[in-house]
Amino acid sequence: MFRHTKLLQFEAKPEKPDPVYARKLQELIGGAYGEMTVTMQYLFQGWNCRIEGKYKDLIMDTATEEIGHVEMLATMVARLLEGAPATETAEAAKDPVMAAVLGGMDPQQAIVAGGGALPNNSQGVPWNGGYIVASGNLLADFRANAAAEAQGRLQTARLYNMTDDPGVKAMLQFNLARDTVHQKQWLAAIEELEADGLEGAIAPTALFDEENQDHNNTVWRLSDGSDGSKGGWSFGGEGIEYLTDPQPLGGPGTAPKPDPALFGTYAPIQDAVGTVKGKAKEAKSKATKKR
């Protein structure tokens, strides 16, 4: 059960409207690493969690907080769009909404949302459920969570430097702080999973005896340059060996003969070469006879 408190987790009041910046903030709502992504990611992780107790509570606490972050950002976007204020372009357009659109505002914010936020990124691309990670394995999920919070904080930091509005900056300062603590909590939870004996360093903690034992301890040098071997992983750390000249282990990646009904162009490699050579010889023989 969820309940909505009619108060924002933190204030979202810009000093003045700015429809162009409102479009930029859409990235923090509906982008791949926006608040909608972490909201749904944590909700589904929590719903899929098979362990009642501290881990599930942590996931659901954070998921519910993220819903509030979406609300804060949506409120800020609506307030930044308030009145669709004039920019320099406004003098050329009597309609202030049209002036804002011409000046860089997302047209869909006006046409579709009536001056409000959308579940889209800053380019107007709709949010996609494919962004979320909810595997049921807490180690894999918590690592994905830490990465998502890192990317989200990075984008928030970039947007923080794109505005001088004190009200917007104050809200983003709060968001930066929450992204900081969320990274810390997921990293701490990863350590605790191992301490509790639920997971090890590798996810999942299974099938180690089934995997190919010749290839579970090597890093392949497949990019030009020699700096890769300078990494700590190449000095025997974690039982890893750095291969400076790895060789392919398989044959040609030739696709099999297609279904004739699909009309795909096909000829076995050797036959194709032989056919070409045969036609060349035949043409040469005919030319000789004509002479």
Side-chain angles (χ1 to χ4, degrees):
M1 179 174 72
F2 290 88
R3 293 193 180 197
H4 177 244
T5 300
K6 295 183 180 179
L7 295 170
L8 297 176
Q9 186 182 6
F10 192 86
E11 194 55 83
K13 285 186 178 179
E15 187 174 272
K16 58 184 179 180
D18 185 345
V20 177
Y21 193 78
R23 179 175 186 172
K24 297 175 183 178
L25 271 187
Q26 284 286 160
E27 194 64 35
L28 297 187
I29 295 177
Y33 298 105
E35 300 292 358
M36 286 186 64
T37 294
V38 288
T39 294
M40 299 307 295
Q41 180 157 308
Y42 301 161
L43 283 174
F44 276 92
Q45 286 179 7
W47 293 330
N48 291 341
C49 183
R50 301 312 202 264
I51 304 176
E52 294 295 336
K54 61 182 179 181
Y55 293 113
K56 186 165 186 173
D57 287 356
L58 172 65
I59 298 169
M60 293 305 297
D61 282 342
T62 314
T64 307
E65 177 182 351
E66 301 293 4
I67 299 174
H69 291 182
V70 177
E71 182 181 34
M72 287 163 51
L73 286 162
T75 301
M76 179 64 83
V77 166
R79 289 171 175 173
L80 285 167
L81 292 172
E82 185 177 0
T87 62
E88 292 180 1
T89 315
E91 297 180 3
K94 295 181 179 179
D95 182 359
V97 174
M98 181 55 65
V101 170
L102 293 173
M105 171 184 172
D106 183 352
Q108 285 202 331
Q109 288 176 329
I111 299 168
V112 178
L118 293 156
N120 298 346
N121 69 11
S122 55
Q123 292 292 337
V125 179
W127 181 81
N128 190 321
Y131 295 152
I132 75 167
V133 176
S135 70
N137 180 285
L138 293 185
L139 176 60
D141 285 351
F142 288 178
R143 284 178 173 165
N145 295 353
E149 294 287 351
Q151 292 289 346
R153 192 177 191 281
L154 175 61
Q155 293 182 359
T156 301
R158 288 170 174 166
L159 281 161
Y160 182 79
N161 286 326
M162 293 181 186
T163 181
D164 295 321
D165 190 298
V168 177
K169 278 186 171 290
M171 186 195 73
L172 293 182
Q173 287 168 347
F174 176 81
N175 288 357
L176 286 168
R178 299 312 296 164
D179 287 343
T180 295
V181 74
H182 289 165
Q183 288 186 58
K184 290 179 179 179
Q185 75 180 36
W186 295 125
L187 293 173
I190 289 169
E191 292 183 0
E192 196 150 332
L193 282 172
E194 187 168 356
D196 287 345
L198 294 173
E199 294 291 344
I202 305 298
T205 310
L207 302 179
F208 291 126
D209 56 341
E210 297 289 332
E211 66 188 26
N212 189 314
Q213 301 299 309
D214 294 329
H215 301 287
N216 61 3
N217 65 343
T218 56
V219 175
W220 288 25
R221 176 183 173 270
L222 296 173
S223 177
D224 289 344
S226 58
D227 288 343
S229 62
K230 298 177 182 178
W233 54 85
S234 65
F235 302 137
E238 303 299 327
I240 297 175
E241 178 187 359
Y242 191 83
L243 299 182
T244 57
D245 188 26
Q247 298 299 314
L249 303 175
T254 307
K257 183 178 180 180
D259 184 331
L262 298 179
F263 307 108
T265 302
Y266 171 81
I269 295 177
Q270 292 182 347
D271 289 358
V273 173
T275 300
V276 172
K277 288 182 177 179
K279 288 183 177 180
K281 288 182 178 179
E282 183 180 347
K284 185 176 180 180
S285 175
K286 289 181 178 180
T288 302
K289 289 180 180 179
K290 286 182 180 180
R291 289 177 185 172

